[in-house]
């Protein structure tokens, strides 16, 4: 997965000068598929940049090399943030990113529904407006949620989660 994410990044962002560098990069641990999927909401806006994969405690060599190659420019609408860490990622990873000289921000939560809510809030703050619609995905079944990723990566609609048995309180709060 790490290599696939880097290949997509290299294909989409040439990063040969400031005009074709991404604004920001999202780092997420792919072992938590719910968090990885919902982080796609940050691809187009506010970042115009890729999602790359890290481990909870370290940055794989390929991801580190890609971050250095991309040299994200920072996103003015997001206070110049260059790298967003999403989910349960250690302080060690944050320190590694900061050592590269990047301005870092975090989006966290106690569970996938809380992270989805936090991403919704983060996106709205950076955009300066609340999205007028949302996409609902299953927190139980990957196959039901994966199709939403392409949409949320490019449209101003966040992904929020439900389960087979109900609507998490975080999703209810986000909908309100």
């Amino acid at each position: 997965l790490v290599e696939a994410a880097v290949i997509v990044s290299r294909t989409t962002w040439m990063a040969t000068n400031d005009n074709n560098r991404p604004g920001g990069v999202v780092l997420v641990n792919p072992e938590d598929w719910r968090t990885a999927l919902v982080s796609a909401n940050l691809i187009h806006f506010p970042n115009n940049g890729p999602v790359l994969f890290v481990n909870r405690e370290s940055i794989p060599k390929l991801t580190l090399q890609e971050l250095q190659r991309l040299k994200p420019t920072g996103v003015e609408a997001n206070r110049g943030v260059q790298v967003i860490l999403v989910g349960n990622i250690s302080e060690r990873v944050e320190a590694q990113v900061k050592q590269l000289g990047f301005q870092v921000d975090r989006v966290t939560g106690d569970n996938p529904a809380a992270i989805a809510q936090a991403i919704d809030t983060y996106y709205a703050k950076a955009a300066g407006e609340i999205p007028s619609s949302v996409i609902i995905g299953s927190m139980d079944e990957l196959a039901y949620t994966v199709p939403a990723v392409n949409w949320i990566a490019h449209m101003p609609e966040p992904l929020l989660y439900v389960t087979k048995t109900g609507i998490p309180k975080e999703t209810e709060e986000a909908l309100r």
Side-chain angles (χ1 to χ4, degrees):
L1 289 176
V2 169
E3 185 178 7
V6 168
I7 289 169
V8 169
S9 176
R10 287 178 183 164
T11 302
T12 308
W13 287 276
M14 296 296 101
T16 56
N17 61 60
D18 285 347
N19 295 324
N20 61 15
R21 291 188 191 292
V25 174
V26 176
L27 297 180
V28 65
N29 184 343
E31 290 180 16
D32 178 0
W33 66 264
R34 293 157 191 91
T35 299
L37 292 185
V38 76
S39 70
N41 195 61
L42 301 171
I43 290 174
H44 186 71
F45 188 85
N47 291 311
N48 189 33
V51 170
L52 297 175
F53 297 130
V54 296
N55 302 312
R56 186 184 169 339
E57 296 292 333
S58 64
I59 303 175
K61 183 178 179 180
L62 281 175
T63 298
L64 192 59
Q65 290 170 341
E66 183 63 0
L67 255 176
Q68 291 170 314
R69 183 191 75 82
L70 289 170
K71 297 178 196 150
T73 60
V75 178
E76 188 175 326
N78 195 23
R79 305 168 329 278
V81 170
Q82 296 165 291
V83 177
I84 301 172
L85 303 176
V86 178
N88 187 16
I89 297 173
S90 76
E91 296 292 327
R92 184 191 301 173
V93 171
E94 182 173 353
Q96 279 185 280
V97 175
K98 285 181 176 179
Q99 283 177 346
L100 296 174
F102 296 124
Q103 185 173 336
V104 179
D105 210 352
R106 283 182 166 270
V107 179
T108 62
D110 294 334
N111 60 64
I115 292 170
Q117 178 188 22
I119 287 173
D120 175 44
T121 301
Y122 191 91
Y123 183 102
K125 184 176 178 183
E129 63 184 18
I130 296 172
S132 60
S133 57
V134 301
I135 303 297
I136 300 296
S138 170
M139 214 161 60
D140 299 318
E141 295 292 333
L142 174 65
Y144 293 136
T145 307
V146 165
V149 172
N150 187 53
W151 186 262
I152 67 168
H154 302 287
M155 302 304 288
E157 296 170 319
L159 174 65
L160 299 173
Y161 284 124
V162 296
T163 67
K164 290 177 186 177
T165 59
I167 302 173
K169 70 176 174 51
E170 295 89 353
T171 299
E172 286 182 23
E173 290 170 5
L175 289 170
R176 276 192 226 116

